[in-house]
């Protein structure tokens, strides 16, 4: 039996808004709390998310999930990857475009690991969205690296095409899997 209300621990209001609209399709409401808690250092998004979820469940004792995500750029050996949040604060989209200046290979993936936990234990849902880094920033919507990420097979960035992002994003795919799991479908 799925809980109708789940805590989502994130300090990122954009993540919370996206999660709310995705899980709404499954009749699941989200209560957003900003305190994600301890984040371990690891190369694995899944390990970071799992640790956070387990740590928070010990404190709060109710069904919850956390999500760890990042942008992995092939030509930069996966950078900014697990450092996406810090890299965004330090160099932002302009810095990433400068690092890729003159490079042909602009392939990149957004990846995400959602860790859901309840009394039965933790479950991890991982997903990715493939695409490429644009030549310049474009679009007003979304957050983070959305203005420079073009999903595979398309020409607009996530920030120019929010409906496309809602369908194709790493977060949409991982949270769809969580919604199906909770509803047993
Ligand atoms: P919480 O840890 O509190 O959830 P956060 O924003 O710090 O919030 P992460 O540690 O998972 O989240 O960092 C992921 C970063 O990757 C995020 O800050 C963005 O810079 C980037 N990112 C992740 N998903 C994104 C998306 O859908 N669109 C654009 N950028 C994204």
């Amino acid at each position: 039996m799925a809980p109708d209300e789940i805590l989502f621990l994130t300090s990122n209001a954009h993540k919370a808004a996206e999660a709310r609209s995705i899980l709404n399709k499954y009749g699941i409401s989200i209560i957003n709390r900003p305190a994600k808690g301890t984040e371990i250092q690891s190369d694995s998004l899944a390990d970071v998310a799992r640790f956070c979820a387990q740590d928070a469940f010990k404190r709060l004792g109710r069904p919850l999930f956390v999500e760890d995500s990042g942008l992995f750029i092939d030509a930069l050996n996966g950078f900014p990857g697990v450092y996406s949040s810090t890299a965004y604060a330090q160099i932002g989209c302009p810095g990433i475009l400068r690092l890729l200046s003159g490079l042909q290979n602009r392939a990149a993936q957004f990846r995400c690991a959602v860790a859901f936990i309840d009394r039965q234990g933790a479950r991890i849902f991982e997903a990715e969205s493939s695409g490429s880094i644009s030549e310049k920033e474009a679009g007003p919507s979304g957050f983070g690296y959305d203005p420079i990420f073009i999903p595979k097979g398309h020409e607009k960035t996530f920030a120019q095409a929010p409906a496309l992002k809602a369908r194709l994003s790493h977060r949409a795919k991982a949270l769809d899997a969580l919604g199906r799991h909770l509803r047993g479908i």
Side-chain angles (χ1 to χ4, degrees):
M1 182 66 181
D4 292 326
E5 237 180 32
I6 311 177
L7 289 182
F8 178 22
L9 306 184
T10 178
S11 59
N12 186 326
H14 297 278
K15 281 188 180 181
E18 288 184 9
R20 192 163 277 126
S21 99
I22 296 156
L23 289 177
N24 197 28
K25 288 186 284 181
Y26 297 92
I28 297 162
S29 305
I30 285 171
I31 303 170
N32 175 214
R33 295 263 176 85
K36 191 174 177 183
T38 316
E39 276 196 55
I40 56 165
Q41 280 294 325
S42 167
D43 287 346
S44 156
L45 296 175
D47 287 351
V48 175
R50 183 188 289 104
F51 184 91
C52 264
Q54 287 170 335
D55 189 51
F57 190 72
K58 277 185 213 146
R59 284 183 283 117
L60 302 168
R62 52 185 285 195
L64 61 86
F65 68 96
V66 300
E67 184 255 51
D68 208 47
S69 48
L71 177 66
F72 295 73
I73 299 175
D74 290 10
L76 304 179
N77 293 325
F79 182 83
V82 294
Y83 308 107
S84 290
S85 184
T86 312
Y88 185 78
Q90 302 278 343
I91 62 172
C93 292
I96 296 291
L97 292 178
R98 270 196 302 277
L99 290 175
L100 289 185
S101 159
L103 294 184
Q104 289 294 316
N105 178 8
R106 304 186 75 88
Q109 304 85 41
F110 267 126
R111 292 191 193 136
C112 153
V114 168
F116 170 79
I117 188 162
D118 62 8
R119 261 184 291 176
Q120 265 96 57
R123 289 275 310 233
I124 309 296
F125 302 89
E126 288 185 89
E128 75 173 36
S129 181
S130 295
S132 60
I133 302 301
S134 59
E135 294 288 342
K136 53 185 186 180
E137 289 187 58
S141 302
F143 69 100
Y145 302 103
D146 282 343
I148 58 168
F149 184 82
I150 301 174
K152 201 173 189 157
H154 296 271
E155 284 171 7
K156 293 189 165 161
T157 66
F158 270 169
Q160 290 174 300
L164 206 56
K165 183 177 187 191
R167 203 155 48 81
L168 298 180
S169 86
H170 47 315
R171 186 163 301 104
K173 292 175 189 169
L175 289 174
D176 263 328
L178 171 62
R180 287 196 299 275
H181 165 72
L182 291 175
R183 289 295 172 217
I185 50 180

